[in-house]
């Protein structure tokens, strides 16, 4: 996602302002979410009342995602307590921020699998945070929007159901763009402390629902796929 001088985001905090002047951004400056916000507003199935628990949870999750993907220094994270924070996927062993980074960060943390390597259409063990970023921002040039569908309990243990979606308008791992809607549903638990800092995150979802939608396109030869990725404006920008 490219950067503009907007200076605010209606769904995310800790992006701009005096507190962020020394923040270390992965792509040099704060990301701009205008394109994915538009996708979100056009495709969401729920419009939560201002100030509702659901809206607060949705904005917390969006802010958390932004910090995890775009801030490179743990001390710059403001939605989580870096010293206590742990993450786990589908009941796996919880990992710390440092351990998450060793797994590749970003999309790789959400796509961990116990499948034998020969069956992995996307292998997080072979991807870096940058190569994963290229793969998904190329496939979803307008972004991968998120909405909270239901909140089952509030703080300190926030349990919610979510939907991610985007349109596959670019190639992915040797498969041509289809233009089709790709969706991913799941459940998550965010545990927060008395300051509403996230200290524990659990996700339950089927990565096959996402990857299956990205493998429908016809096969491309290597040069075609490489050329498409290298011209992705989102990677050339700030991500």
């Amino acid at each position: 996602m490219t950067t503009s001088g907007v200076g605010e985001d209606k769904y995310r905090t800790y992006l701009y302002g005096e507190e962020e002047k020394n923040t270390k951004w992965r792509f040099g400056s704060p990301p701009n979410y205008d394109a994915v916000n538009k996708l979100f507003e056009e495709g969401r199935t729920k419009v939560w009342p201002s100030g509702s628990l659901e809206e607060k949870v949705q904005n917390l999750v969006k802010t958390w995602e932004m910090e995890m993907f775009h801030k490179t220094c743990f001390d710059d994270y403001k939605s989580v307590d870096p010293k206590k924070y742990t993450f786990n996927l589908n009941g796996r062993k919880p990992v710390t921020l440092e351990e998450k980074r060793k797994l590749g960060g970003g999309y790789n943390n959400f796509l961990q699998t116990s499948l034998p390597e020969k069956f992995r259409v996307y292998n997080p063990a072979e991807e870096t945070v940058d190569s994963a970023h290229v793969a998904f921002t190329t496939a979803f040039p307008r972004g991968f929007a998120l909405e909270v569908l239901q909140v089952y309990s509030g703080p300190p243990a926030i349990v919610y159901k979510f939907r991610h979606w985007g349109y596959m308008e670019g190639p992915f791992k040797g498969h041509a763009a289809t233009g089709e809607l790709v969706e991913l549903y799941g459940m998550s638990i965010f545990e927060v402390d008395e300051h509403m800092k996230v200290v524990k995150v659990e996700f339950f979802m089927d990565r096959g629902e996402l990857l299956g939608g990205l493998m429908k396109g016809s096969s491309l030869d290597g040069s075609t796929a490489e050329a498409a990725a290298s011209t992705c404006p989102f990677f050339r920008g700030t991500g």
Side-chain angles (χ1 to χ4, degrees):
M1 299 169 192
T2 55
T3 298
S4 73
V6 175
E8 64 179 62
D9 184 279
K10 64 177 94 172
Y11 304 113
R12 299 164 186 83
T13 51
Y14 311 132
L15 258 172
Y16 305 102
E18 194 68 19
E19 289 187 338
E20 303 304 325
K21 66 179 183 180
N22 295 316
T23 295
K24 296 177 178 64
W25 297 101
R26 184 169 304 282
F27 299 100
S29 55
N32 181 296
Y33 284 93
D34 288 350
V36 76
N37 285 348
K38 185 173 186 292
L39 179 67
F40 165 70
E41 290 166 1
E42 292 174 346
R44 60 185 166 180
T45 62
K46 305 284 187 180
V47 179
W48 300 115
S50 178
S52 65
L53 175 62
E54 290 85 358
E55 184 200 48
K56 291 177 181 178
V57 171
Q58 186 167 260
N59 290 351
L60 171 64
V61 177
K62 289 176 184 285
T63 297
W64 168 83
E65 275 196 348
M66 176 276 295
E67 292 201 307
M68 292 293 124
F69 276 74
H70 290 282
K71 294 183 177 181
T72 61
C73 178
F74 299 152
D75 290 338
D76 290 334
Y77 291 176
K78 298 180 178 66
S79 64
V80 309
D81 182 334
K83 295 180 180 178
K84 298 179 180 178
Y85 178 88
T86 62
F87 171 93
N88 80 65
L89 176 69
N90 294 334
R92 291 167 173 267
K93 179 184 175 182
V95 295
T96 64
L97 285 171
E98 191 58 50
E99 289 168 330
K100 273 186 67 180
R101 178 170 285 174
K102 291 177 181 177
L103 290 173
Y107 294 95
N108 287 335
N109 298 131
F110 294 95
L111 296 171
Q112 295 297 308
T113 179
S114 56
L115 281 171
E117 292 207 9
K118 64 181 179 179
F119 297 122
R120 299 180 186 185
V121 294
Y122 175 93
N123 188 355
E126 296 178 349
E127 302 288 345
T128 66
V129 64
D130 289 333
S131 67
H133 179 80
V134 171
F136 285 97
T137 56
T138 300
F140 296 122
R142 287 189 282 161
F144 198 44
L146 164 78
E147 69 172 334
V148 166
L149 297 174
Q150 188 168 351
V151 177
Y152 299 95
S153 66
I158 302 167
V159 182
Y160 67 93
K161 181 180 180 181
F162 66 87
R163 169 184 172 245
H164 261 298
W165 75 97
Y167 289 88
M168 189 193 177
E169 296 165 328
F172 180 82
K173 293 296 179 183
H175 290 266
T178 63
E180 293 182 5
L181 174 68
V182 178
E183 297 179 285
L184 173 67
Y185 290 85
M187 299 281 295
S188 184
I189 304 170
F190 273 39
E191 291 187 17
V192 298
D193 63 16
E194 65 273 19
H195 305 295
M196 284 300 291
K197 301 287 188 182
V198 180
V199 295
K200 181 180 180 181
V201 168
E202 297 182 73
F203 272 89
F204 300 90
M205 61 189 191
D206 179 3
R207 79 179 212 142
E209 292 299 308
L210 169 60
L211 296 176
L214 293 172
M215 306 296 287
K216 291 181 178 179
S218 57
S219 295
L220 300 170
D221 64 47
S223 60
T224 304
E226 184 178 343
S230 67
T231 58
C232 175
F234 300 94
F235 187 64
R236 293 201 310 269
T238 59

